[in-house]
Amino acid sequence: MASVKLPESKIQELKEVCQKYDNKGSELINVLHGAQELFGYLPAEVQEIIADELNVSVAHVYGVVTFYSFFSMLPKGRNPISICMGTACYVRGAEKVLDEFKRILNVKVGETTGDGKFSLSCLRCVGACGLAPVVTIGERVYGRVSADDVKKILSEYA
Amino acid sequence: MGKYKSHILVCAGTGCRASDCEGIVSNLESALEENNLNEDVQVVRTGCFGFCEKGPVVKMVPDNTFYVEVTPDDAGELVLEHLVKGRKVERLLYIDPDTKERISDSKHMGFYKKQYRIALRNCGFIDPENIDEYIARDGYAAMGKILESMTPEEATAIIKESGLRGRGGGGFPTGLKWEFTRKAQADKKYVVCNADEGDPGAFMDRSILEGDPHSVLEAMAICGFCIGADTGLIYIRAEYPLAINRLKTAINQAREYGLIGKDILGTGFNFDVEIRLGAGAFVCGEETALIHSMEGLRGEPTVKPPFPAEKGYNGKPTNVNNVETFANIPPIILKGSKWFSEIGTEKSKGTKVFALAGKVNNVGLIEVPMGITLREVIFDIGGGIKGGKKFKAVQTGGPSGGCLTEKHLDIPIDYENLLQCGSMMGSGGMIVMDEDDCMVSVAKFYLDFTVEESCGKCAPCRIGNKRLYEMLDKISLGKSSEEDLGMLRNLANVIKDTSLCGLGQTSPNPVLSTMDNFHEEYLAHVADGKCPAGQCKALMHYIIDSHLCVGCTLCNRVCPVDAISGEKKTPHVIDSSICIKCGACLEKCKFGAISVQ
């Protein structure tokens, strides 16, 4: 993976996140949440700083980051698309919706489009099963989405 | 609810928020202002009403008119007609699907008639961000009663006698768990609320935390008093931002009122609550994994014993209960164990919240007494199958549960009965499936989930489930033989018997229960190379009926891979070696000439 140069000001902010949790190793997950909010993702460089600050090994930090699906080591697109793959959405045709997003954006699940505009991921149940199938883009929730709606939804972000 | 004469309750649960309930609220507020009613009528954002299918829901109080599928554009009419002129807005009332009558009071709707709300008692009634409204409905009275007049032993005994069992899935008696933790000797103990609701299709815990967060805080404090803990931790999924915010608000308000914190109600009892965020790992619903995650580690389970009641968070005795379990505690304390134990069946007392979803008419959150039948839930409350299709199966218990069929419809629902049928209660997800759902695909769907969520610590779960998934994939591709079915069953049983934690011990259930209940469907896949439900793409062939095809060329134009050929006004043909079976042609054909075989 290409190395990432982190801006000095952000590094300072990251250290402040660690301090907010008293630089305790047991607060690692909360620190990672804070760090991901700050950078949008958790590149190796960020993990190294956190390991230093909390006085735990980088391997330990990496182990935790890769264990939880909420943490990502790849930058997300400006408009992160998530298709709900909970059971309720699945039986109401979420797979077809996902296929359509894949086809139009020409990316696989977990990837970001070349222009950095969209990233595509699946998630497990947002709990809006009454609106199945559900797609979220950023904070916005789209309900009762069919494959035919995909083009129109994407055009809102043109 | 203060000085106002009447109130407009607007559902602000996650589902209704997605359908722009905020737009409804702001339009209602400006319409009230225009009509000079803003001093008399208050708009209240409540938790989930449960009837998500018909959301967004708006309820007028005190006359209890229940409006469904409201849009922001309807706000002006609601205020002008209902409040100013005193006339109901007929077109926004619920229509009974059988009698076609419009019903204005939710009490008379099929969806609500058979429900009995204990855990959800305040959801959809109060403003979850206002502690006064919770207090007005006997909130914190149970905690007050216990702190002022009972010993921890007496209070624990009430919970024990009530027969309440863990609502997170396992069904372990709650009172007994509390007693174990109370008896453990240590200088520090913890109360943990498990809000890591990971079952896809279950959203009761989220709705309780969004709609009635104080009930959980109060119950945790009661538990803290009973077991001798002064710290409560709520472990909640980061995917639930609204619930997290409402919890934070509730914690701050309760602290301000002195209902949590130091020297609660002047009794010398200390108890405070903190929030811990999950990070997306299904296995963290397992209590030992959850505890490791709270300690900042990978959420991997460990062998029990020692149970968390002896050695839990930071090595100290810890009592872990799920959100819905906690929400039952205050009413039990106030109304007594006898009241609670008279509801439900012999071994499963009280009520259970189910998230009814899938191919059913009324999707939503329901709370029903234990012992109700699946038929009542799916057909009376759920309003039957969508689009008049035929009921095929209902999946309960999420990835740990199984698929139940027609023959199970009249069995009373409780922990034991569901286990006996090869499924389980789980956290209460209930996904209804119709004749178009292929049971092999459903089993594969759940296994895909398990494979991804297996933490990888023990071999049976890590490797076994992966192999199980591959075998199912082979079946859905039509590359299996009958012999493979025996191997499939064998492997499933080995994984069940040898996995370390609940995840692996239950993950083969979707496979085993579909094999038991839909043996013929599996046989059709392996012996005849057919998928009766028409879902397994590899086993399908699209064919154009040359008698019906008029050669309109529409199918030719929509086909993404140019598999369809033919001259204008002459019958077309599909080249099955190119066809990717996307179904686009079938959907577009206006003459019914294309079929799947």
Side-chain angles (χ1 to χ4, degrees):
Chain A
M1 201 188 301
S3 68
V4 184
K5 179 96 182 82
L6 304 172
E8 208 47 52
S9 63
K10 284 257 183 132
I11 294 179
Q12 196 47 42
E13 273 183 71
L14 176 59
K15 288 182 178 170
E16 279 162 25
V17 169
C18 297
Q19 279 155 20
K20 197 175 120 196
Y21 294 103
D22 300 329
N23 291 51
K24 277 202 273 191
S26 59
E27 297 281 359
L28 178 59
I29 291 175
N30 283 331
V31 170
L32 290 173
H33 273 294
Q36 184 156 295
E37 220 163 88
L38 203 59
F39 293 92
Y41 69 117
L42 299 168
E45 290 73 11
V46 168
Q47 296 181 36
E48 281 164 16
I49 296 171
I50 291 173
D52 251 7
E53 288 295 307
L54 305 187
N55 199 21
V56 293
S57 71
V58 183
H60 176 70
V61 176
Y62 177 79
V64 171
V65 168
T66 50
F67 185 84
Y68 296 98
S69 62
F70 201 80
F71 299 132
S72 167
M73 288 182 61
L74 294 171
K76 285 214 160 131
R78 288 190 296 283
N79 304 297
I81 303 170
S82 297
I83 320 290
C84 180
M85 277 289 163
T87 324
C89 289
Y90 173 79
V91 300
R92 284 202 184 174
E95 219 171 4
K96 279 192 183 159
V97 176
L98 174 65
D99 287 344
E100 189 67 4
F101 273 107
K102 281 201 252 183
R103 195 180 68 80
I104 295 181
L105 297 174
N106 199 17
V107 290
K108 288 197 207 88
V109 174
E111 289 182 351
T112 303
T113 52
D115 56 2
K117 201 163 155 190
F118 296 106
S119 53
L120 188 62
S121 63
C122 290
L123 53 77
R124 304 288 191 196
C125 199
V126 287
C129 308
L131 299 172
V134 173
V135 171
T136 67
I137 302 185
E139 302 273 294
R140 180 93 198 266
V141 180
Y142 296 86
R144 300 197 172 109
V145 178
S146 73
D148 290 341
D149 300 332
V150 172
K151 224 179 224 162
K152 210 180 116 232
I153 291 174
L154 287 173
S155 70
E156 288 176 31
Y157 298 84
Chain B
M1 291 185 184
K3 59 190 167 53
Y4 295 96
K5 281 188 202 137
S6 57
H7 300 268
I8 307 177
L9 309 184
V10 180
C11 176
T14 293
C16 287
R17 279 171 78 97
S19 312
D20 202 13
C21 75
E22 279 306 315
I24 299 173
V25 171
S26 63
N27 285 5
L28 279 173
E29 277 169 348
S30 42
L32 287 174
E33 210 162 305
E34 273 166 36
N35 291 286
N36 289 322
L37 286 168
N38 47 333
E39 300 276 311
D40 301 319
V41 184
Q42 188 190 19
V43 182
V44 182
R45 290 180 188 83
T46 69
C48 181
F49 280 78
F51 206 173
C52 306
E53 181 73 38
K54 294 285 172 191
V57 170
V58 171
K59 188 174 178 180
M60 303 298 206
V61 175
D63 69 39
N64 287 337
T65 307
F66 194 93
Y67 291 115
V68 296
E69 294 180 314
V70 180
T71 67
D73 294 338
D74 298 327
E77 192 181 345
L78 278 179
V79 170
L80 197 65
E81 286 291 313
H82 191 104
L83 293 170
V84 178
K85 298 184 183 161
R87 291 194 297 231
K88 286 183 175 143
V89 182
E90 291 282 324
R91 70 177 177 86
L92 293 176
L93 294 176
Y94 175 72
I95 302 173
D96 187 295
D98 295 329
T99 63
K100 305 289 175 229
E101 269 175 49
R102 291 182 188 275
I103 305 177
S104 72
D105 192 333
S106 56
K107 265 198 311 229
H108 303 302
M109 295 177 190
F111 182 75
Y112 286 103
K113 261 190 222 162
K114 292 199 169 170
Q115 292 202 43
Y116 187 160
R117 293 163 88 103
I118 299 175
L120 298 177
R121 63 196 178 280
N122 290 326
C123 289
F125 286 100
I126 63 167
D127 175 355
E129 301 190 1
N130 185 346
I131 188 171
D132 291 329
E133 295 199 5
Y134 179 67
I135 292 172
R137 285 178 62 95
D138 291 332
Y140 291 102
M143 183 180 82
K145 181 176 166 185
I146 283 190
L147 291 184
E148 274 158 24
S149 64
M150 279 186 218
T151 63
E153 289 79 7
E154 285 167 343
T156 310
I158 296 180
I159 303 301
K160 237 174 113 176
E161 283 157 20
S162 74
L164 176 67
R165 295 168 65 175
R167 298 292 193 244
F172 191 82
T174 307
L176 210 56
K177 211 176 200 180
W178 288 20
E179 197 172 81
F180 287 148
T181 325
R182 183 170 60 73
K183 285 185 176 160
Q185 297 292 327
D187 55 340
K188 177 102 185 160
K189 294 180 190 177
Y190 294 95
V191 176
V192 170
C193 173
N194 181 351
D196 188 53
E197 187 170 52
D199 277 13
F203 52 98
M204 55 284 298
D205 292 348
R206 198 209 68 213
S207 288
I208 291 171
L209 291 171
E210 283 177 7
D212 193 16
H214 285 286
S215 69
V216 175
L217 297 183
E218 181 183 4
M220 288 177 74
I222 291 170
C223 177
F225 177 75
C226 288
I227 68 167
D230 64 0
T231 306
L233 300 163
I234 302 175
Y235 184 86
I236 181 167
R237 296 177 76 191
E239 289 92 332
Y240 285 175
L242 183 62
I244 295 168
N245 279 335
R246 293 211 172 133
L247 262 178
K248 282 183 182 160
T249 309
I251 291 172
N252 287 335
Q253 287 176 348
R255 273 189 201 139
E256 238 169 70
Y257 276 58
L259 293 166
I260 58 172
K262 291 239 177 310
D263 189 21
I264 296 170
L265 301 172
T267 57
F269 171 59
N270 304 325
F271 190 80
D272 213 336
V273 178
E274 289 169 32
I275 295 176
R276 290 296 159 91
L277 294 187
F282 177 67
V283 70
C284 287
E286 202 279 343
E287 54 186 9
T288 60
L290 181 150
I291 287 167
H292 295 310
S293 179
M294 289 202 309
E295 291 168 342
L297 306 171
R298 288 164 68 95
E300 287 171 350
T302 39
V303 181
K304 296 190 273 191
F307 288 93
E310 309 151 59
K311 231 177 138 210
Y313 183 63
N314 288 340
K316 304 292 181 190
T318 304
N319 181 81
V320 186
N321 282 131
N322 137 289
V323 174
E324 191 189 332
T325 314
F326 276 129
N328 275 294
I329 300 288
I332 293 176
I333 298 289
L334 286 178
K335 296 184 182 173
S337 53
K338 189 162 172 286
W339 163 77
F340 190 79
S341 63
E342 278 169 359
I343 309 162
T345 65
E346 198 197 331
K347 286 186 175 162
S348 303
K349 302 296 184 192
T351 57
K352 178 76 192 88
V353 182
F354 290 103
L356 194 58
K359 307 266 183 72
V360 63
N361 278 317
N362 301 333
V363 167
L365 202 62
I366 59 164
E367 183 169 356
V368 288
M370 295 274 192
I372 196 170
T373 63
L374 282 168
R375 188 184 299 280
E376 287 173 281
V377 170
I378 297 166
F379 291 92
D380 296 347
I381 298 173
I385 309 302
K386 251 196 160 42
K389 297 242 174 174
K390 199 167 169 286
F391 167 81
K392 181 165 182 180
V394 55
Q395 210 280 349
T396 71
S400 311
C403 285
L404 303 175
T405 66
E406 188 100 43
K407 68 173 189 241
H408 301 112
L409 282 178
D410 294 308
I411 295 169
I413 302 173
D414 67 10
Y415 291 98
E416 279 73 24
N417 281 345
L418 286 180
L419 269 182
Q420 213 165 15
C421 304
S423 184
M424 65 184 284
M425 186 74 83
S427 56
M430 212 178 245
I431 313 278
V432 179
M433 296 170 200
D434 68 12
E435 52 194 312
D436 295 337
D437 289 304
C438 162
M439 290 299 126
V440 177
S441 303
V442 167
K444 205 175 106 179
F445 167 78
Y446 280 108
L447 253 296
D448 179 40
F449 179 89
T450 318
V451 168
E452 201 166 299
E453 294 295 341
S454 169
C455 78
K457 186 170 176 171
C458 73
C461 179
R462 183 184 65 241
I463 305 168
N465 280 317
K466 178 96 183 145
R467 292 291 96 84
L468 214 51
Y469 175 83
E470 287 164 359
M471 288 164 92
L472 287 167
D473 195 42
K474 234 173 101 184
I475 294 174
S476 72
L477 291 172
K479 291 180 182 164
S480 281
S481 63
E482 271 186 76
E483 252 173 29
D484 292 341
L485 292 184
M487 273 164 61
L488 188 69
R489 184 180 289 277
N490 227 338
L491 179 59
N493 283 322
V494 170
I495 297 171
K496 257 183 105 129
D497 291 342
T498 54
S499 287
L500 171 67
C501 82
L503 197 153
Q505 285 159 12
T506 56
S507 62
N509 283 350
V511 182
L512 288 170
S513 76
T514 47
M515 283 185 86
D516 287 340
N517 293 321
F518 299 94
H519 183 67
E520 259 137 55
E521 199 166 331
Y522 274 85
L523 269 186
H525 281 77
V526 294
D528 312 333
K530 285 209 169 88
C531 172
Q535 261 203 343
C536 294
K537 275 188 187 172
L539 305 179
M540 294 188 316
H541 298 284
Y542 284 85
I543 290 169
I544 299 178
D545 185 331
S546 58
H547 300 293
L548 293 172
C549 179
V550 299
C552 73
T553 73
L554 195 56
C555 57
N556 182 346
R557 278 178 280 149
V558 296
C559 179
V561 290
D562 292 329
I564 304 179
S565 57
E567 290 297 311
K568 229 176 182 180
K569 292 184 180 163
T570 59
H572 283 45
V573 282
I574 300 175
D575 184 342
S576 59
S577 65
I578 305 175
C579 174
I580 55 165
K581 295 153 188 171
C582 69
C585 54
L586 178 71
E587 266 166 44
K588 283 284 174 330
C589 180
K590 290 174 186 151
F591 306 95
I594 301 176
S595 60
V596 190
Q597 285 188 344

